[in-house]
Amino acid sequence: MNRTLTSLCLTAAALTGLLAAVSCKKDAGTPPQQTQTKGQSIMDVKIEPFGGLPDGTAVELYTLTNDKGLKARLTTYGAILVSLEVPDRNGTPGDISLGYDSLDGYLKVSPYFGAIVGRYGNRIAKGRFILDGIEYKLANNNGVNHLHGGIKGFDKVVWTAEPVKETDAVGVRFSYLSKDGEEGYPGNLKVVATYSLTNDNELRIVYEAETDRATPVNLTHHSYFNLAGQGDMLGHELTLYADKYTPVDEGLIPTGEVLDVKGTPMDFTAPAAIGSRIAQVKGGYDHNYVLRSGGGTLALAAGVYEPVTGRLMEISTTEPGIQFYSGNFLDGTITGKGGHVYPLHGGFCLETQHFPDSPNHPGFPSTILRPGQKLTSLTVHKFSTK
Ligand code: BGC
């Protein structure tokens, strides 16, 4: 499906209201009182300083709170989701995302914890592609390949932010201008990523982009989730609404084939513990699944259930693919929030996206955005317990 069609299929209603900015309090310290008296909303957007870059650029932290016990903290650095508190089946809140307590951690070493990834999420083989007869060379940062936007992708820049408030949701709208030539990409690309928390216990992410020259674009969100809050996530039960996947070579570049998952350890069409067959998958799961929906309309992509805490996360998206990454490169060397050491498979990523290396695979859904077109994409994470 081409980009214009994708835009048309994402209803205006999904975006309405999300972009209405409101003036919100900025303060440096004490959290607001959040006791809810009956019928009174505690939905809030709070803005605080979150340190700064070595060059002095200030970084902010936005805290979103809904009326149902969800709390998200997001920073202008990398448009990163720093934490996401979700109640368990007893109503006890717990942070289900991996990351750092302070900006410093993100600046030192981060495997894209919680970030918005771009200009192109996942890999482009050998960092090259041909578009309209011109060869482009990108910055390579993953062996000979280009990964997640290059050396300084959207996860490592400071975004502009403004709070968003509507009747049943609060959010933050992050904007970034990726200049022509950045990391080798053509065109000035205006990107907006709007996160919101709704009173239906959803974390919604709306992506928008426009360009002045044709360019590949593949935006995604890179949270590592652990619905139990710590330890490994091999006992989490995963369902993927996908019958096919795109196999990869040694460098994790798609071979171009689209294979059936049926009868293989890749099959999550029925709920299965992530750890149940992971040993049969060389290196662990790090694959793009081809969603049954085909993309273009909002449809269920994945469900993850954690039996001990009862937390369930369901992901819907307008994207045609989802990268399931089982935290294979976590190895116990990172100490994150609250002093937690992140072990192998300490978190999983479910990155809604177009397929990796699409610019070099004409058979994959197109990732090319052209002047005059508007990219819009929506992903919803819905939380409940059972
Ligand atoms: C990729 C992995 C990569 C990881 C980086 C994932 O999106 O699929 O191959 O190592 O990001 O943290």
Side-chain angles (χ1 to χ4, degrees), residues 38-60:
K38 204 163 183 271
Q40 198 191 328
S41 175
I42 56 163
M43 274 200 319
D44 189 37
V45 183
K46 184 171 159 259
I47 309 163
E48 299 163 278
F50 195 53
L53 303 189
D55 70 2
T57 308
V59 174
E60 289 181 321

Side-chain angles (χ1 to χ4, degrees), residues 95-99 111 113 223-236 274 278 306 324-334 340-349:
D95 184 3
I96 59 150
S97 71
L98 274 52
F113 283 145
S223 269
Y224 289 66
F225 293 109
N226 183 320
L227 301 184
Q230 53 182 301
D232 71 49
M233 50 76 211
L234 297 174
H236 289 43
I274 292 173
I278 198 169
E306 201 289 300
F324 169 41
Y325 169 56
S326 53
N328 313 323
F329 299 113
L330 295 175
D331 58 4
T333 53
I334 291 182
H340 287 149
V341 173
Y342 297 139
L344 177 66
H345 308 311
F348 63 88
C349 303

